[in-house]
Amino acid sequence: MLQPLRKLGVGINYHWDFQDLIRNNLSTIDYIEISPDIFCEEVFTGNTRHFRMDNSKLQDALAIGNLCPVIVHGLGLSIGSASGWNSDYLSMLDQYAQQQSFSWHSEHLGFTLVKNQDGSEDHAGLLLPMPFTQDALDLLCPRIQQLCNRYAVPFLLENTTYYLPALTDTYKDGREWDEIDFLNKLVARTDCGLLLDLYNFYCNAINFGFDPYHALARLQLDRVIEIHVAGGIIHEGFLLDVHSSEVPDAVWELLEWILPQAPNLCAITYEVLEQALPLMGEANIVAQLQRCKTLWNQYLTIHCNPFTDKMEFNKQEDKDNVAA
């Protein structure tokens, strides 16, 4: 089962271009979400791939990590690859975990790597979604449970966008599984939590014409530990999750609706690409974070007493320091 977690608040995804933004706004930014993949480059020796870490970029991130809590959000695990996940990503995460503590780690529910008949691997270049089938569940659940047990912190899965109709299984009454069915089945069979990306979910709702409120009302919301919000663009009729702009009003409305129903939520992360910093400007990005903070404070009044929680956390921290 998921262990009780400290409620972190509002954060932003880390990139070294964001260092000044983060340092200048620590009164608004409660934590940072780091993807250790960005410190690395992929190196191939024949058909063998491994990560080589850039120590300078790593040290910059560790310095920021001394200023606020850190959570990890992986990009390169490819948890859903039929031939097996990217074990080199986990080796890299092991190295990072030895130098930086983090409250939890998460991954995208999809895959990027496909093994060829000759043993070589191809990278899709973008995240491909999982089919909503029993075979996919049977593949994923043992891997998810390994990740729940590998580190001394919880593991979360993030819902993703998809741009083609999903492959699905059906119930006995003929109704097809959908994304909500699949996520609920995953959390029922494992100890993982959910990283609910509301913008991804909104993209799917718009692109495939379903009601996001009706769908989310069926999700096991007590397993939602973190929420992502972001903004993107419309390209050739599809809403894309490129994290390049302000959060749409419809996503803010979804967030307001869901907060009272997510008792174990611990964090709201605003995601934005580093390329968007000069386009949006620091002031606009901070305004998005401040809007998140306003909603977070409303959430705290519903679900907990922030003063009591802070006292209890500080007491435990004091005990840990004495024990050390």
Side-chain angles (χ1 to χ4, degrees):
M1 297 296 293
L2 284 171
Q3 63 195 62
L5 293 170
R6 177 190 178 190
K7 292 190 180 297
L8 295 182
V10 170
I12 191 170
N13 57 294
Y14 172 83
H15 191 271
W16 46 87
D17 288 347
F18 293 174
Q19 290 189 67
D20 289 342
L21 183 154
I22 293 168
R23 290 179 183 274
N24 293 338
N25 294 281
L26 288 173
S27 60
T28 301
I29 297 171
D30 300 312
Y31 65 89
I32 53 173
E33 182 173 78
I34 291 184
S35 298
D37 318 60
I38 70 172
F39 311 142
C40 304
E41 61 176 343
E42 285 188 324
V43 179
F44 286 86
T45 305
N47 290 336
T48 303
R49 177 192 62 254
H50 64 276
F51 282 121
R52 182 166 59 201
M53 193 170 287
D54 184 321
N55 190 60
S56 175
K57 292 177 179 177
L58 172 62
Q59 293 306 315
D60 287 343
L62 292 174
I64 296 286
N66 286 328
L67 302 178
C68 59
V70 170
I71 58 177
V72 165
H73 187 46
L75 304 173
L77 179 59
S78 194
I79 192 172
S81 289
S83 57
W85 59 27
N86 181 2
S87 57
D88 202 51
Y89 167 82
L90 289 180
S91 296
M92 179 270 298
L93 183 54
D94 289 343
Q95 295 176 46
Y96 180 63
Q98 291 173 6
Q99 302 178 71
Q100 174 67 63
S101 61
F102 43 87
S103 298
W104 60 79
H105 67 117
S106 60
E107 255 297 342
H108 299 82
L109 182 55
F111 66 101
T112 55
L113 300 175
V114 178
K115 183 165 286 189
N116 300 314
Q117 290 184 345
D118 64 1
S120 64
E121 284 184 332
D122 284 332
H123 194 292
L126 76 167
L127 186 71
L128 300 175
M130 299 299 296
F132 305 144
T133 64
Q134 186 64 49
D135 286 343
L137 277 176
D138 293 341
L139 175 80
L140 287 166
C141 287
R143 297 178 182 180
I144 291 169
Q145 199 57 41
Q146 285 185 52
L147 292 170
C148 292
N149 299 331
R150 187 180 182 101
Y151 303 97
V153 296
F155 173 66
L156 316 181
L157 277 173
E158 179 189 10
N159 59 295
T160 63
T161 51
Y162 50 92
Y163 298 102
L164 293 172
L167 298 172
T168 67
D169 276 346
T170 58
Y171 291 100
K172 291 181 180 180
D173 62 4
R175 184 176 71 84
E176 293 184 340
W177 294 12
D178 63 9
E179 184 177 20
I180 300 297
D181 293 312
F182 194 71
L183 292 172
N184 284 341
K185 290 175 185 294
L186 280 174
V187 299
R189 287 182 51 179
T190 69
D191 294 330
C192 77
L194 293 176
L195 194 177
L196 176 58
D197 192 310
L198 279 181
Y199 186 68
N200 285 354
F201 201 82
Y202 175 68
C203 286
N204 292 341
I206 295 300
N207 292 334
F208 290 94
F210 65 84
D211 182 343
Y213 292 92
H214 183 267
L216 288 172
R218 296 169 37 231
L219 183 63
Q220 195 162 329
L221 295 175
D222 62 334
R223 298 293 281 270
V224 174
I225 305 301
E226 182 185 353
I227 287 177
H228 277 178
V229 293
I233 60 171
I234 295 177
H235 178 70
E236 296 187 358
F238 282 98
L239 186 57
L240 305 183
D241 63 327
V242 291
H243 303 167
S244 60
S245 63
E246 293 85 357
V247 179
D249 287 341
V251 175
W252 287 122
E253 292 165 6
L254 275 174
L255 180 59
E256 289 188 63
W257 176 84
I258 208 168
L259 287 178
Q261 305 175 71
N264 297 316
L265 180 69
C266 294
I268 302 173
T269 307
Y270 174 56
E271 288 190 298
V272 61
L273 288 175
E274 63 274 14
Q275 295 92 332
L277 178 57
L279 299 175
M280 292 181 63
E282 181 174 322
N284 282 337
I285 292 174
V286 172
Q288 296 290 285
L289 290 163
Q290 289 172 338
R291 188 165 180 180
C292 287
K293 182 61 74 74
T294 297
L295 292 174
W296 175 255
N297 289 335
Q298 293 174 9
Y299 169 82
L300 290 179
T301 64
I302 298 171
H303 288 289
C304 62
N305 183 328
F307 177 72
T308 302
D309 286 355
K310 185 175 181 180
M311 287 183 64
E312 290 303 319
F313 177 79
N314 288 339
K315 288 178 184 177
Q316 184 59 48
E317 194 171 44
D318 291 341
K319 290 179 182 178
D320 294 343
N321 289 336
V322 170

